[in-house]
Amino acid sequence: MKKDFITYQAQTSPHPLAMEVSHAEGSYIYDSNNKAFLDFVAGVSACTLGHKHPKVNTAIKEQVDSYLHVMVYGEYIQKPAVELAKLLASHLPDSLEKTYLVNSGTEAIEGALKLAKRATGRSEMIAAKNAYHGNTMGSMSVMGYEERKQAFRPLLPNVSFIQFNDEKDLEKITNKTACVILETIQGGAGFIEPTNNYLNKVQKRCKEVGAIFILDEIQPGVGRTGKLFGFQNYNCVPDILVTGKGLGGGMPIGAFTASSKLMDLLQDNPKLGHITTFGGHPVIAAAALATLKEVTESYLMAQTLEKEALVRKHLVHPLITEIRGKGLMLAAMTPSAEITNEVVLQAKDAGLILFWLLFEPKAIRITPPLTISNEEIIKGCEIIINILDGIKTN
Ligand SMILES: Cc1ncc(COP(=O)(O)O)c(C=O)c1O
């Protein structure tokens, strides 16, 4: 199978981890030799409720037995999508009331950028240095990491970058700006939290100049930071909220949410301002609805902060210089990219799944399912500490 994987399936890196997956359940993924791997990554913050969660699986199965795709987005009334959008609105501030469902995070970013241009009649976009918003052309245009996008230029014009958390840069947001797009917590950059009421200041500046404030919650969203959405920790409300990843509970989804006044602009001038065939797919929406219900009706969100404290307590080692992030969106920093690589690769041999962050080579990603148990957290931390002990004495 590995040979076929390398030969026939397009690769994104020369050295994929290439674990052959047999099945997955709870906090574990099993390989084709039935070896269990404790999952500290959750499909890169996507498997909110772990693997094979009974409520998600039941919702999927029931929907499969009713209907699959029946019509392009937005024409027919399909209960899972309607209920999902309604439940989202019930947990959001009043101004975030209407949701457009799409198929992936990057597609939701594209929709949000289009909506901002349509609403303001302006074209200038401001994003943050080291930001990651996805890999299609528009999302890549607002990615703040030149090395990864150079080969794909020309991208969208009129994009400029500010330093996340630097208030001085806010003066670059002017009445020519269509939108400011930021991650609530910068992911690829190394799980950088906003400080000093920064997001609130960005929101105010956007309001002053009539720019749309977009927050990308594709990674922190859906309970991972102890609140349903990360922005709820930071005293701000975006004009457009973008979600994805963990919303689908293991199924592919993206969504952008805004006021009706904004969102209704996509209905005319031009008509069909944003369209998609599969967005709001009934099976995906059913999985997302089950996930959102479970996250909002259980103790999982509150426990996320206790679990963060547990990671911080058990991940103490001279080679861990800092633990960044919030809730179960954590990055353990080591002194070098080499040490981080060693830890991630050795962890796999030891039955623990870890991963990297996109632009910060010293970071070890720790983003387990929200359903991970305290015992599993301690077990995973012990594996990391043992590996670090070995590296220290080499
Ligand atoms: C903050 C952020 N935005 C956008 C995306 C893109 O989402 P997708 O991979 O579903 O297109 C990601 C994915 O890693 C992300 O972390």
Side-chain angles (χ1 to χ4, degrees):
M1 184 73 96
K2 184 168 177 188
K3 193 161 166 276
D4 284 354
F5 169 65
I6 300 292
T7 308
Y8 296 111
Q9 192 174 339
Q11 301 296 316
T12 55
S13 84
H15 306 293
L17 287 174
M19 181 211 289
E20 190 177 332
V21 178
S22 156
H23 60 285
E25 183 158 4
S27 305
Y28 286 89
I29 301 177
Y30 297 81
D31 74 3
S32 47
N33 298 316
N34 214 23
K35 179 174 169 179
F37 294 82
L38 178 58
D39 188 359
F40 259 31
V41 176
V44 184
S45 306
C47 307
T48 307
L49 302 178
H51 304 282
K52 204 178 166 186
H53 190 281
K55 290 189 180 165
V56 177
N57 274 21
T58 303
I60 291 170
K61 285 175 184 163
E62 283 178 5
Q63 187 54 43
V64 165
D65 283 339
S66 297
Y67 57 95
L68 303 179
H69 178 73
V70 285
M71 191 38 159
V72 295
Y73 178 83
E75 290 296 329
Y76 291 173
I77 302 165
Q78 301 181 48
K79 195 171 166 196
V82 176
E83 288 195 345
L84 174 60
K86 187 176 175 188
L87 187 61
L88 265 174
S90 75
H91 288 285
L92 285 168
D94 290 348
S95 57
L96 294 171
E97 54 191 337
K98 241 181 193 183
T99 294
Y100 195 125
L101 296 166
V102 292
N103 309 286
S104 65
T106 195
E107 197 184 328
I109 295 288
E110 300 286 341
L113 296 177
K114 282 172 67 182
L115 182 54
K117 284 174 107 172
R118 169 69 183 82
T120 59
R122 305 173 187 173
S123 65
E124 183 190 84
M125 297 179 188
I126 295 186
K129 291 174 188 162
N130 288 331
Y132 181 73
H133 298 290
N135 248 246
T136 50
M137 288 300 202
S139 304
M140 218 180 210
S141 303
V142 290
M143 177 165 90
Y145 200 81
E146 186 56 33
E147 197 186 298
R148 297 271 174 92
K149 59 183 193 179
Q150 219 166 36
F152 306 103
R153 287 191 174 282
L155 297 168
L156 287 180
N158 286 348
V159 180
S160 54
F161 292 89
I162 57 176
Q163 184 70 43
F164 193 76
N165 276 333
D166 185 348
E167 289 173 36
K168 287 196 301 295
D169 270 2
L170 298 187
E171 67 191 31
K172 295 181 181 162
I173 305 168
T174 69
N175 59 12
K176 290 201 168 54
T177 310
C179 64
V180 176
I181 178 165
L182 297 173
E183 294 160 271
T184 306
I185 296 175
Q186 282 205 300
F191 289 5
I192 313 288
E193 278 191 83
T195 54
N196 200 18
N197 214 18
Y198 175 66
L199 294 178
N200 180 276
K201 290 169 188 165
V202 177
Q203 183 189 339
K204 280 201 177 122
R205 180 67 187 153
C206 285
K207 197 159 191 192
E208 269 168 27
V209 298
I212 302 286
F213 178 36
I214 304 174
L215 274 182
D216 177 346
E217 289 260 356
I218 289 167
Q219 193 156 193
V222 195
R224 192 155 282 283
T225 66
K227 302 267 191 208
L228 189 57
F229 292 101
F231 75 84
Q232 292 164 324
N233 292 301
Y234 304 113
N235 186 32
C236 67
V237 179
D239 298 306
I240 307 177
L241 171 69
V242 186
T243 53
K245 279 188 186 280
L247 181 62
M251 295 291 260
I253 198 165
F256 56 107
T257 304
S259 65
S260 303
K261 188 169 169 235
L262 267 185
M263 202 59 102
D264 289 350
L265 293 170
L266 294 176
Q267 292 176 23
D268 66 11
N269 199 19
K271 183 180 157 188
L272 304 176
H274 192 69
I275 51 176
T276 158
T277 300
F278 286 122
H281 189 282
V283 177
I284 312 291
L289 182 62
T291 303
L292 192 60
K293 274 188 185 157
E294 183 65 8
V295 170
T296 52
E297 290 170 9
S298 68
Y299 291 106
L300 281 174
M301 269 193 281
Q303 286 170 351
T304 295
L305 297 182
E306 292 162 24
K307 289 172 185 174
E308 172 189 352
L310 205 60
V311 173
R312 289 184 182 278
K313 179 171 164 209
H314 286 270
L315 222 46
V316 176
H317 192 280
L319 290 180
I320 293 181
T321 53
E322 184 189 356
I323 295 181
R324 294 188 192 153
K326 191 169 181 62
L328 289 177
M329 183 177 168
L330 298 173
M333 307 299 295
T334 77
S336 70
E338 290 72 28
I339 292 176
T340 291
N341 272 340
E342 260 317 286
V343 175
V344 173
L345 296 175
Q346 284 194 37
K348 189 182 164 224
D349 296 336
L352 174 69
I353 298 175
L354 297 172
F355 210 56
W356 299 268
L357 298 189
L358 270 175
F359 311 139
E360 175 44 274
K362 293 181 191 164
I364 303 170
R365 167 187 284 277
I366 300 175
T367 56
L370 306 190
T371 46
I372 193 167
S373 71
N374 289 354
E375 293 70 31
E376 288 165 342
I377 286 178
I378 293 169
K379 182 178 161 185
C381 289
E382 279 172 3
I383 292 174
I384 297 173
I385 296 294
N386 280 340
I387 294 169
L388 287 170
D389 279 346
I391 289 174
K392 201 171 134 207
T393 53
N394 275 343

